[in-house]
Amino acid sequence: MFTIKKFTSVQALLLFGLLMGVFIIYPNIAQIPWDIPRHVQSAGEGGGAMQVPVHTMNIKHVCFESLTGYWLFFVFRYLFFSITIWVLLIINIKKIKQPVFARRIFLTAVVTALAYGLYILTSLSIKKHIDCFTIHLLFQFVVACVLCVLIGYATALYSVQREKELEIERLKRETLQSRCDALANQINPHFFFNSLNGLTYLVRSDDKERTLEFVNKLSNVFRFILQSDKKGLVTLSEELNFLDSFRYLLEVRFADKLTFDIRVDESATTMKLPVLSLLPLVDNAVVHNAIDSEHKIRMVIATRSDSDSGETVLTVSNPIYPKLEKPVTNGTGLTNLSARYQLMVHKDIRIEKTDDTFTVILPLS
């Protein structure tokens, strides 16, 4: 996968310097077909004063030396520009990481001027000073300087932007995680007091067996809820085991006026979803609907293949029997569930509502 770190490694910058070196000396490359004949002609004229027996050999020797010197200096020019660009890129990307344009262009210009001076001194020392003081050579150094400044500045801007995006993403995750923790904190006291009411009913009815079973199921539910903060995703099988205990408590509380119809494929039980996904949906149905002899609630929990994506989803639906008085709730149950899905699964839940039925569709991963 492409990353800015790979692009700005020392080896990558060296390779980029070699490629840019070709770009910088391209005018010299294009001039080769005209330079070589000129060197040969110049070498031939220089050997014309020799004696006839050695004339041909001297001309060939002088031409060979001239062409060898030409190619060696050509390679030197290429490597010099490549290394200069490499150094300038390291300064602009590795050393100056903040997008401060004035400082960047000043340091790059100073280093480029030093490189230009070194190039001239080297050329004069080996008597290859034909292009030392030409506008063409000066323009090549200016182009190398400007390109390295722009590349370094663009890289710095990208890095700053990337850091901001990562920071925003981190803050989003922390916010969503705090909302998940808040959801668990809301569930515990709310569920605890409702469960105590159910237990009180059983104690008063003097049904010891159901009371013991109720306490056992209540213990399972609280154990699962208290351990939920240590879990992110759980299998559908774990969530249904929790629901088995939870629904028993509700069936006792509502005297079998609230029942469950669970239709889950065996192959889907190993798929995962955020912990405590079913609890707010069941609680939502209980809070917002009238449950009595005339309005019995039968919740249907089933798996199916989604018609849009083709993926396996879990549907939780219940009939709608609105209460005469609107319930007082904070309305965070479905909101928090949606946020947890985006945080943990990177998918959205869907809500489908008709006049008679309320359905929530949960993606499974």
Side-chain angles (χ1 to χ4, degrees):
M1 181 179 177
F2 173 80
T3 61
I4 190 67
K5 288 186 177 180
K6 290 182 180 180
F7 174 75
T8 58
S9 65
V10 175
Q11 295 81 357
L13 292 179
L14 178 58
L15 177 61
F16 194 63
L18 293 172
L19 294 175
M20 283 189 64
V22 174
F23 172 74
I24 294 296
I25 69 164
Y26 179 77
N28 302 97
I29 296 174
Q31 194 66 26
I32 289 176
W34 289 272
D35 285 343
I36 291 179
R38 188 167 63 250
H39 275 77
V40 172
Q41 182 181 359
S42 176
E45 292 174 354
M50 296 293 179
Q51 297 294 328
V52 173
V54 295
H55 177 70
T56 302
M57 291 183 61
N58 267 321
I59 289 177
K60 289 182 178 180
H61 179 70
V62 171
C63 287
F64 176 77
E65 286 186 345
S66 178
L67 288 176
T68 300
Y70 170 80
W71 283 114
L72 287 175
F73 188 73
F74 185 87
V75 172
F76 161 76
R77 181 193 287 115
Y78 167 66
L79 292 177
F80 188 90
F81 273 109
S82 297
I83 293 174
T84 299
I85 292 169
W86 178 53
V87 172
L88 293 178
L89 288 174
I90 289 178
I91 292 173
N92 277 275
I93 295 176
K94 295 290 188 180
K95 302 301 181 182
I96 309 175
K97 297 184 178 181
Q98 298 299 320
V100 183
F101 194 78
R103 181 189 174 205
R104 183 183 301 276
I105 196 168
F106 173 75
L107 289 178
T108 306
V110 170
V111 174
T112 303
L114 293 175
Y116 178 67
L118 179 61
Y119 180 90
I120 290 177
L121 290 176
T122 305
S123 300
L124 292 175
S125 65
I126 60 177
K127 298 181 180 180
K128 296 289 183 181
H129 50 79
I130 187 170
D131 65 342
C132 279
F133 303 103
T134 61
I135 296 297
H136 175 256
L137 178 65
L138 182 61
F139 179 74
Q140 286 177 309
F141 275 96
V142 170
V143 170
C145 175
V146 172
L147 283 177
C148 291
V149 168
L150 294 178
I151 291 172
Y153 189 69
T155 303
L157 288 177
Y158 176 82
S159 298
V160 171
Q161 180 64 26
R162 184 59 181 161
E163 288 176 2
K164 289 181 179 178
E165 291 175 355
L166 291 174
E167 180 66 14
I168 291 172
E169 185 66 24
R170 184 185 65 81
L171 292 174
K172 283 183 178 180
R173 293 182 67 87
E174 289 181 354
T175 301
L176 290 175
Q177 187 60 52
S178 65
R179 292 172 67 180
C180 293
D181 296 338
L183 174 62
N185 293 331
Q186 291 166 9
I187 290 171
N188 288 342
H190 172 74
F191 175 71
F192 178 71
F193 290 116
N194 286 333
S195 300
L196 286 181
N197 291 332
L199 183 59
T200 301
Y201 165 76
L202 288 177
V203 171
R204 286 178 177 175
S205 65
D206 198 24
D207 190 339
K208 293 182 180 179
E209 290 187 5
R210 294 191 71 187
T211 301
L212 290 175
E213 181 68 13
F214 187 93
V215 171
N216 184 46
K217 297 292 186 181
L218 182 61
S219 174
N220 292 338
V221 168
F222 267 104
R223 185 182 299 111
F224 191 83
I225 291 176
L226 292 174
Q227 293 176 352
S228 64
D229 61 339
K230 300 176 183 178
K231 301 177 181 179
L233 298 176
V234 296
T235 62
L236 180 56
S237 176
E238 291 179 85
E239 192 74 6
L240 290 175
N241 287 337
F242 161 75
L243 182 63
D244 182 64
S245 297
F246 183 58
R247 72 173 183 172
Y248 179 84
L249 305 181
L250 291 176
E251 287 170 354
V252 169
R253 175 184 168 190
F254 290 101
D256 298 326
K257 297 179 182 66
L258 172 65
T259 57
F260 291 81
D261 181 11
I262 299 177
R263 311 168 191 170
V264 174
D265 292 335
E266 186 66 27
S267 59
T269 55
T270 57
M271 302 185 76
K272 293 187 175 183
L273 70 169
V275 66
L276 294 179
S277 291
L278 297 179
L279 178 56
L281 300 182
V282 175
D283 187 63
N284 189 66
V286 171
V287 170
H288 290 87
N289 289 282
I291 305 177
D292 51 40
S293 300
E294 296 181 2
H295 305 94
K296 293 184 178 181
I297 297 288
R298 185 175 182 82
M299 297 201 67
V300 179
I301 300 174
T303 53
R304 63 174 174 82
S305 178
D306 186 58
S307 58
D308 295 330
S309 63
E311 299 178 344
T312 302
V313 295
L314 183 71
T315 62
V316 182
S317 60
N318 60 269
I320 299 176
Y321 300 127
K323 291 183 176 180
L324 296 178
E325 294 184 7
K326 188 175 181 180
V328 179
T329 62
N330 53 21
T332 60
L334 288 176
T335 302
N336 278 328
L337 178 60
S338 177
R340 287 195 293 143
Y341 253 90
Q342 292 175 356
L343 172 66
M344 299 177 187
V345 187
H346 305 294
K347 295 179 180 178
D348 294 319
I349 67 173
R350 297 205 316 270
I351 298 175
E352 296 178 355
K353 186 176 181 180
T354 65
D355 293 337
D356 302 322
T357 308
F358 183 85
T359 304
V360 178
I361 301 174
L362 304 177
L364 298 176
S365 60

